[in-house]
Amino acid sequence: YCNVYKDEFLSRVWCPTFIRESQWHHVAVTLGKLTPKSCLVSIYLDGQHVHSQKINPISSTWSSSERNHTNIFHAFIGTPPIWRKYSKLVWKQGVCNLIDDCFDAVAVARTYMLGPHYVGSFQDARLEDNEEINPIIPEDRIAFSLNPKAHSCMTLNKIRKMYNRMDAKAIAKQLGMSSHENATPIIVLHNAAGHLNGPARTLGGVLIGYLGIRKFNPLPVSMTIHTVGGCSVLLGLVAMSRDIESLYAAVKALTCILRTSKSARQEMNQRRFYQTLGMLYKRKKSLLNSHILHLTFNLVGTIHSGHEASATPNPTAF
């Protein structure tokens, strides 16, 4: 652990009670100005407010001599290289956005509900098709947006040609390389907000690692299943079940996918897979028990933990 910042610019949050290992978490930090000499930083975890604190404002004033020169800024998302020996934390970074505005609790909760696979610019943040298209934030307020789908493997020479010499020199300095080096591959995450209306924006980010770096796309299982056959694969697991344990596991997988994927529910209705599931149940009636029955009621929407419904939400499945 190494602290090089002053306490008036630092906010610490004790979060073991909120964060669980091997699970995605949505973190949002907002900075609002209260007075000319103080700001309010608020931290949200998974759409819920967990901490607020007053800190000194970040200075953005420049002297007359500095305004006549090009200023180069850089920031780290994650653990800086100089701190890697002090931190044993291992984590993965998903989609990241820097917005020149202060979100309220409603906007933060909306971005959380979009999920870790959302890579848009918050101009169409609908959760259901019947909702109206209302942007969460204007385009010109989105300053920085990174996602693993927009990336390129480049060299310093290519960065110098595509962007400018100052960016290539600043990147080489952070990587500890010569600015004229032209062999080392550099993974550049492009600024996905660069095409939006508004002022000029930064080129993006560069992956910096120690003993190798990796890039991955955060893709939920409920979306990945469509690339291998969709719900027909899950029904195939049900059909191949030969004992109670395998049948329960297959129905559990189908239930989880349908609860988290709207397209999977539409496929079940359009292709009448509920009737297929009923036929499979009839063939395997000797393997059915109360646990599988409870999963089936959960699958068709007639049972939800902590809720009671007087109507059938899915007539086709029922």
Side-chain angles (χ1 to χ4, degrees):
Y1 178 75
C2 178
N3 182 16
V4 297
Y5 296 104
K6 297 180 180 179
D7 289 339
E8 57 264 25
F9 294 100
L10 182 66
S11 179
R12 293 189 180 93
V13 180
W14 182 253
C15 54
T17 56
F18 307 106
I19 295 180
R20 296 181 177 87
E21 293 184 2
S22 302
Q23 289 189 10
W24 281 106
H25 292 282
H26 178 270
V27 180
V29 181
T30 64
L31 185 65
K33 198 169 185 179
L34 295 177
T35 64
K37 293 185 179 181
S38 67
C39 291
L40 179 66
V41 59
S42 298
I43 301 175
Y44 299 82
L45 185 66
D46 292 341
Q48 301 293 327
H49 178 264
V50 296
H51 181 72
S52 290
Q53 178 181 331
K54 290 183 180 180
I55 63 172
N56 287 351
I58 300 174
S59 176
S60 60
T61 58
W62 306 99
S63 62
S64 58
S65 59
E66 290 176 329
R67 292 175 183 173
N68 298 328
H69 297 82
T70 302
N71 295 290
I72 300 297
F73 299 92
H74 70 272
F76 292 100
I77 301 176
T79 305
I82 61 173
W83 288 1
R84 63 175 177 81
K85 293 183 179 180
Y86 304 95
S87 177
K88 297 181 180 179
L89 179 65
V90 178
W91 58 287
K92 299 178 181 180
Q93 170 71 42
V95 180
C96 177
N97 296 279
L98 178 63
I99 299 174
D100 187 17
D101 205 340
C102 189
F103 272 13
D104 56 10
V106 177
V108 172
R110 189 73 172 184
T111 57
Y112 165 66
M113 288 188 291
L114 292 175
H117 55 279
Y118 179 78
V119 295
S121 56
F122 304 111
Q123 303 305 300
D124 183 3
R126 292 178 297 172
L127 301 176
E128 299 291 342
D129 293 337
N130 56 0
E131 295 181 1
E132 295 183 2
I133 302 178
N134 292 316
I136 298 179
I137 193 73
E139 287 186 2
D140 58 338
R141 291 295 187 179
I142 304 176
F144 191 73
S145 181
L146 294 180
N147 68 77
K149 294 183 179 297
H151 78 283
S152 295
C153 187
M154 310 174 72
T155 61
L156 285 176
N157 187 33
K158 194 170 183 180
I159 294 174
R160 189 183 303 110
K161 291 180 179 179
M162 289 189 61
Y163 297 102
N164 56 65
R165 187 178 300 272
M166 297 297 294
D167 287 331
K169 187 176 180 180
I171 292 173
K173 182 179 180 181
Q174 295 301 321
L175 295 177
M177 300 164 50
S178 171
S179 58
H180 300 287
E181 206 272 343
N182 191 31
T184 303
I186 300 174
I187 299 180
V188 178
L189 297 177
H190 301 289
N191 188 356
H195 66 285
L196 301 178
N197 296 327
R201 297 174 172 90
T202 179
L203 66 91
V206 176
L207 290 184
I208 301 177
Y210 175 69
L211 297 179
I213 52 179
R214 295 182 299 169
K215 182 197 70 65
F216 71 101
N217 294 329
L219 192 63
V221 177
S222 58
M223 296 187 64
T224 308
I225 195 66
H226 294 290
T227 64
V228 295
C231 294
S232 57
V233 174
L234 299 173
L235 291 176
L237 295 177
V238 176
M240 292 187 296
S241 302
R242 296 185 178 276
D243 51 34
I244 297 176
E245 290 76 13
S246 59
L247 180 60
Y248 177 83
V251 178
K252 180 69 173 179
L254 179 62
T255 303
C256 293
I257 294 297
L258 293 181
R259 291 181 62 182
T260 57
S261 175
K262 179 182 176 181
S263 57
R265 294 193 294 269
Q266 292 176 345
E267 182 184 4
M268 290 288 289
N269 288 326
Q270 293 172 358
R271 304 183 66 176
R272 296 191 176 277
F273 278 156
Y274 288 110
Q275 285 85 341
T276 303
L277 181 62
M279 181 194 66
L280 294 175
Y281 276 176
K282 186 176 181 179
R283 290 184 177 181
K284 300 179 180 297
K285 57 184 178 181
S286 60
L287 302 178
L288 300 180
N289 58 19
S290 59
H291 299 289
I292 297 177
L293 181 62
H294 187 274
L295 276 180
T296 305
F297 285 148
N298 219 330
L299 186 144
V300 301
T302 55
I303 291 181
H304 290 283
S305 299
H307 298 276
E308 293 184 1
S310 58
T312 303
N314 192 343
T316 303
F318 189 78

